[in-house]
Amino acid sequence: MPGIDKLPIEETLEDSPQTRSLLGVFEEDAAAISRYISQLYQAMHRIYDAQNELSAATHLTSKLLKEYEKQRFPLGGDDEVMNSTLQQFAKVIDELSSCHAVLSTQLADAMMFPITQFKERDLKEILTLKEVFQISSNDHDTAITRYSRLSKKRENEKVKYEVTEDVYTSRKKQHQTMMHYFCALNTLQYKKKIAMLEPLLGYMQAQISFFKMGSENLSEQLEEFLTNIGTSVQDVRREMDHEVETMQQTIGDLEAASDPLYLPDPDPTKFPVQRHLTRKAGYLNARNKTGLVSSSWDRQFYFTQGGNLMSQARGDVAGGLVMDIDNCSVMAVDCEDRRYCFQITSFDGKKSSILQAESRKDYEEWICTINNISKQIYLSENPEEIAARVNQSALEAVTPSPSFQQRHESMRPAVQARPPTTRTSSTGSLGSDSASLSALSLDSLVAPDTPIQFDIISPVSEDQPGQAKSAGQAGRRTNPFGESGGTKSETEDSILHQLFIVRFLGSMEVKSDESPDVVYETMRQILAARAIHNIFRMTESHLLVTCDCLKLIDPQTQVTRLRFPLPNVVLYATHQENKRLFGFVLRTSAGRADSRPTSVCYIFESNNEGEKICDSVGLAKQIAFHAELDRRTSEKQKEMDRVKEKQQKELSKQKQIEKDLEEQSRLIAASSRSNQSSGEGQFVVLSSSQSEDSDLGEEGKKKRESEA
């Protein structure tokens, strides 16, 4: 190394300006060294901190790799190859973590310790000596100034001694301090080189030692392992690229095929309605009541699971049960001016839900699917095939019409008689076992090609258009419990008032009204026609059963929709298995050209109250029958009372006539005794008046007496 400049210690006592100027240069050099060493210390400390962080991160990585086999990933499964590979990596990284820990220790001892000692000890010593030298130099200058002010004339030995002693002490202190200060500055020139080279040497030696340990740990076996892992990674990357290409192709195909489905209501000709489904899933809007008249709609994902309807909100892990749809009923409804709404009612009628589909296709498929599930077709081996067969057989068996207009046309006399057609029975459409219909065939129950009415139209108004409706029969509000305001209703005197909630399914003309099989066959045909022709709308009404009639009342306006006289209800029955279905046969006196009576069967759905309604109708007919017997007995008794009263009046009249005759005889005898001459004339007059009195009675008698 080249020679190092030094401060002359021998000239410290002289303290010349040249010495002071050279001291200033050394002081500036010490300040520059202090600034540079501080920056170098910060850089090396960052290396040390980074190494400590690397060691801790490597150890944490090894720990996490060891815990991989304890993790339970939803899609990972048990991958033994992946577990063993990661365990091998954890072992190697753990060894590297140990090497990094050793490197951190070596950096702390060989790099950070020397530079820290130089910064904290040597540089602080220079600063301390500088401050002490500055104080001693100031004290010496003060003492010299005081000594120079001693007077020549009046010498004071004591003051002179004190000033001389002060100069001696301050000069000695300055000299000693200055020598130590010069020595420290001269030594700093050597220490600064050591303080910079020794940490760097320690850093390099630590790194070399670290690389040697790493080289020893990375053996040939590990290199082979890393090569195999690299090959596996490349294979996975190629597989990923192939899968991404396949998915992109699939996305393109789906975008092209799904373009028509982006419309909320796709074209039904391109996407026909599937009516044989027994499973369905999709988003629906559910109506929730928030008050008496207010409601809200929530969009949720609905799906069928066996005989249950489930719903699942977005973000939920699993779905929840909405209702049991076995033996349920479904119908289209009008709700809050929304399209594609339908209502599902449970088998017991205690729970119902109003849902809205997004399109007509979904709307019809949901209703068909729920109808198929309610018939428990899903329990069979091939549910979709059976559902398709049931719908096809029902389509071949029934030809519905929306109203009674076609029925009137069919009732008109035809020019040429139609050939008889053979009707094939379709079992299973109602879920009931229609084995044999006792002694009646299907053609004897319901005529072939009989039209079906699905809306509520009064048969009286259709069959007898010229007949005027009586006041209060239709078109006015009716209290279902017989409580009227000003006028007296026709059912007010009835002792039976029972109200039921029913939904009109349909009606059709039947050929017989003597067996309940007529009602069963009508139920089968109407329900099959509704399912085939996608007629799911049902009108809900209140059925009022009284001793005089059956009334269908609008639940909103309380207006009577239909009135069925009870004597005309000749047959009523409920379904053998589905107790929610019931019907009755109404016999009318007119409706054909030949004035023969016709029979029409009406089918309804109730809230599991079919048997109760039939029992109520039977009770009403019994009460009406006994009331009719009592009425006839009362009329007969009244007739006998009138005859007896008439006889009493005749007898009283006869007695009165006899009494009048006796009175006339008495008067005539008295008059004849008083005046014999005038008696003859009076006798003649009285004789004529007697004949008149017999006709005039009491009034004629009094009049004749007054005249006499």
Side-chain angles (χ1 to χ4, degrees):
M1 287 186 178
I4 300 176
D5 295 330
K6 298 180 182 180
L7 286 170
I9 299 177
E10 297 82 3
E11 297 179 1
T12 55
L13 182 60
E14 184 180 0
D15 193 15
S16 63
Q18 291 80 8
T19 305
R20 285 290 181 116
S21 177
L22 185 60
L23 177 62
V25 175
F26 272 78
E27 287 180 347
E28 290 180 2
D29 184 73
I33 291 174
S34 178
R35 290 193 297 270
Y36 180 77
I37 289 298
S38 296
Q39 295 176 1
L40 185 61
Y41 173 81
Q42 291 177 359
M44 290 185 175
H45 201 280
R46 289 181 64 182
I47 293 175
Y48 176 69
D49 291 341
Q51 182 59 41
N52 287 334
E53 181 65 25
L54 180 60
S55 177
T58 308
H59 178 70
L60 179 61
T61 303
S62 174
K63 182 180 178 181
L64 291 176
L65 292 177
K66 291 179 181 179
E67 293 179 354
Y68 176 81
E69 60 181 0
K70 299 179 181 179
Q71 303 298 319
R72 295 294 180 265
F73 299 100
L75 300 178
D78 296 334
D79 192 349
E80 295 296 336
V81 176
M82 192 68 177
N83 289 337
S84 61
T85 303
L86 293 181
Q87 291 300 319
Q88 184 68 21
F89 270 114
K91 182 179 179 181
V92 175
I93 294 176
D94 196 11
E95 294 178 358
L96 291 177
S97 176
S98 301
C99 295
H100 281 291
V102 173
L103 177 59
S104 298
T105 305
Q106 291 178 351
L107 290 178
D109 296 338
M111 183 181 70
M112 294 306 300
F113 181 74
I115 195 171
T116 303
Q117 287 291 98
F118 177 74
K119 179 177 178 292
E120 298 294 335
R121 185 183 63 184
D122 297 336
L123 293 179
K124 283 187 178 181
E125 182 183 0
I126 295 296
L127 294 176
T128 303
L129 289 174
K130 181 179 179 180
E131 292 176 358
V132 173
F133 170 72
Q134 193 70 34
I135 293 172
S136 62
S137 178
N138 293 335
D139 291 345
H140 178 261
D141 293 341
T142 302
I144 291 298
T145 302
R146 185 180 177 188
Y147 180 76
S148 301
R149 292 177 182 176
L150 287 176
S151 176
K152 297 185 297 180
K153 297 180 180 180
R154 295 185 302 175
E155 295 183 358
N156 190 342
E157 294 294 334
K158 184 177 179 181
V159 174
K160 182 179 180 181
Y161 175 78
E162 291 178 356
V163 172
T164 303
E165 187 68 24
D166 190 12
V167 171
Y168 173 80
T169 304
S170 60
R171 182 172 290 178
K172 181 180 179 180
K173 182 178 179 181
Q174 179 188 358
H175 184 222
Q176 293 177 352
T177 304
M178 194 173 183
M179 288 189 296
H180 287 289
Y181 185 39
F182 279 23
C183 180
L185 289 176
N186 290 334
T187 308
L188 182 63
Q189 300 303 314
Y190 297 94
K191 287 185 177 180
K192 70 177 182 179
K193 297 179 180 180
I194 297 173
M196 288 188 293
L197 295 176
E198 188 177 6
L200 295 176
L201 180 62
Y203 173 73
M204 296 305 298
Q205 289 178 348
Q207 291 291 345
I208 291 172
S209 176
F210 172 73
F211 290 140
K212 285 183 178 180
M213 288 187 295
S215 178
E216 293 174 357
N217 291 331
L218 297 177
S219 60
E220 295 181 358
Q221 183 178 1
L222 182 59
E223 292 179 358
E224 183 181 357
F225 168 72
L226 295 178
T227 303
N228 295 333
I229 295 301
T231 304
S232 300
V233 171
Q234 294 299 326
D235 294 340
V236 173
R237 186 177 297 277
R238 284 193 297 270
E239 184 179 354
M240 180 188 68
D241 294 339
H242 177 70
E243 185 65 25
V244 169
E245 183 180 358
T246 303
M247 288 189 294
Q248 292 295 336
Q249 182 67 28
T250 304
I251 290 173
D253 297 341
L254 289 177
E255 286 180 351
S258 302
D259 187 69
L261 295 177
Y262 296 150
L263 296 173
D265 202 354
D267 188 2
T269 59
K270 297 181 180 179
F271 302 95
V273 178
Q274 300 181 13
R275 307 182 187 279
H276 59 278
L277 298 179
T278 57
R279 289 184 298 177
K280 180 71 175 172
Y283 281 96
L284 296 173
N285 294 327
R287 180 174 180 264
N288 299 319
K289 286 189 175 181
T290 57
L292 295 177
V293 294
S294 60
S295 60
S296 63
W297 294 82
D298 296 332
R299 189 169 185 263
Q300 291 187 353
F301 186 81
Y302 284 80
F303 60 95
T304 60
Q305 190 175 52
N308 298 324
L309 179 64
M310 314 289 287
S311 68
Q312 184 175 357
R314 183 172 296 176
D316 291 349
V317 179
L321 176 65
V322 177
M323 70 169 60
D324 181 7
I325 54 178
D326 278 340
N327 296 323
C328 73
S329 63
V330 58
M331 64 177 178
V333 294
D334 293 328
C335 188
E336 299 180 4
D337 197 23
R338 285 184 175 239
R339 301 180 303 166
Y340 310 139
C341 294
F342 58 95
Q343 179 177 350
I344 307 173
T345 306
S346 60
F347 71 97
D348 55 359
K350 296 181 179 179
K351 190 174 183 180
S352 63
S353 295
I354 296 179
L355 305 173
Q356 180 191 20
E358 186 175 298
S359 63
R360 175 168 292 279
K361 177 178 179 295
D362 288 342
Y363 162 76
E364 296 180 2
E365 285 184 354
W366 271 107
I367 294 179
C368 292
T369 302
I370 295 174
N371 269 327
N372 293 334
I373 294 176
S374 66
K375 300 171 186 176
Q376 299 183 354
I377 297 178
Y378 66 93
L379 298 176
S380 58
E381 295 182 357
N382 298 318
E384 295 186 359
E385 181 181 352
I386 294 178
R389 191 187 314 124
V390 168
N391 283 277
Q392 182 64 26
S393 62
L395 180 61
E396 295 175 355
V398 181
T399 304
S401 62
S403 67
F404 269 73
Q405 183 178 0
Q406 298 180 7
R407 169 184 153 196
H408 294 319
E409 295 177 357
S410 64
M411 288 180 181
R412 296 173 182 174
V415 178
Q416 183 178 359
R418 301 181 60 179
T421 59
T422 305
R423 178 179 300 274
T424 59
S425 62
S426 173
T427 60
S429 61
L430 283 177
S432 62
D433 184 13
S434 56
S436 61
L437 299 178
S438 64
L440 298 175
S441 64
L442 295 181
D443 288 341
S444 64
L445 298 177
V446 180
D449 299 330
T450 301
I452 300 176
Q453 175 186 348
F454 296 110
D455 51 355
I456 297 180
I457 299 177
S458 175
V460 176
S461 62
E462 286 190 337
D463 295 341
Q464 301 175 9
Q467 181 181 356
K469 293 183 180 180
S470 60
Q473 181 173 344
R476 78 174 176 87
R477 296 180 180 270
T478 304
N479 192 316
F481 298 99
E483 299 175 0
S484 59
T487 60
K488 186 175 180 181
S489 65
E490 61 181 355
T491 60
E492 185 175 356
D493 295 334
S494 178
I495 62 175
L496 178 66
H497 292 86
Q498 290 190 357
L499 194 68
F500 303 93
I501 299 176
V502 296
R503 289 170 291 277
F504 181 70
L505 296 178
S507 63
M508 59 187 301
E509 183 180 352
V510 295
K511 298 176 63 177
S512 174
D513 54 11
E514 298 178 356
S515 172
D517 295 329
V518 177
V519 180
Y520 303 152
E521 177 64 17
T522 306
M523 289 179 182
R524 184 194 69 81
Q525 294 197 19
I526 289 178
L527 291 182
R530 278 182 168 270
I532 293 170
H533 296 274
N534 198 19
I535 303 174
F536 301 109
R537 184 181 302 275
M538 292 187 290
T539 304
E540 185 171 279
S541 304
H542 289 170
L543 178 63
L544 179 63
V545 180
T546 66
C547 298
D548 300 324
C549 62
L550 305 180
K551 283 186 178 182
L552 283 181
I553 302 173
D554 191 325
Q556 301 293 333
T557 62
Q558 297 300 317
V559 172
T560 301
R561 292 173 173 168
L562 281 179
R563 181 181 180 278
F564 306 102
L566 193 62
N568 293 351
V569 179
V570 296
L571 181 64
Y572 49 90
T574 183
H575 196 271
Q576 295 174 335
E577 296 180 0
N578 190 355
K579 300 304 179 183
R580 295 180 293 108
L581 300 177
F582 77 96
F584 58 84
V585 178
L586 184 73
R587 182 185 297 170
T588 58
S589 59
R592 293 183 180 273
D594 52 2
S595 300
R596 289 184 300 170
T598 60
S599 298
V600 180
C601 184
Y602 293 85
I603 304 300
F604 296 88
E605 180 187 40
S606 65
N607 296 334
N608 204 24
E609 296 178 343
E611 292 183 346
K612 293 182 180 179
I613 296 176
C614 292
D615 294 340
S616 178
V617 174
L619 179 61
K621 292 184 74 66
Q622 291 182 5
I623 294 175
F625 175 72
H626 291 293
E628 180 66 20
L629 292 180
D630 294 341
R631 185 185 64 80
R632 293 182 180 180
T633 303
S634 176
E635 289 180 356
K636 186 177 182 180
Q637 183 66 33
K638 288 180 180 180
E639 183 67 24
M640 293 176 64
D641 292 342
R642 284 195 298 270
V643 172
K644 186 176 181 180
E645 183 179 358
K646 185 177 181 180
Q647 293 177 354
Q648 291 291 338
K649 287 182 179 180
E650 292 292 337
L651 183 60
S652 299
K653 184 178 180 180
Q654 186 67 29
K655 289 182 179 181
Q656 185 66 33
I657 292 174
E658 293 178 356
K659 185 177 180 181
D660 292 342
L661 291 175
E662 292 178 358
E663 183 66 23
Q664 292 293 335
S665 301
R666 186 180 61 79
L667 291 175
I668 293 172
S671 299
S672 60
R673 286 195 299 269
S674 61
N675 193 354
Q676 185 67 33
S677 61
S678 61
E680 294 179 358
Q682 291 180 357
F683 179 78
V684 174
V685 173
L686 288 175
S687 298
S688 62
S689 64
Q690 182 179 0
S691 61
E692 293 176 359
D693 290 342
S694 62
D695 297 330
L696 296 177
E698 186 68 24
E699 293 181 358
K701 176 184 175 182
K702 291 181 180 181
K703 184 177 180 180
R704 293 300 181 184
E705 288 179 353
S706 62
E707 291 178 356

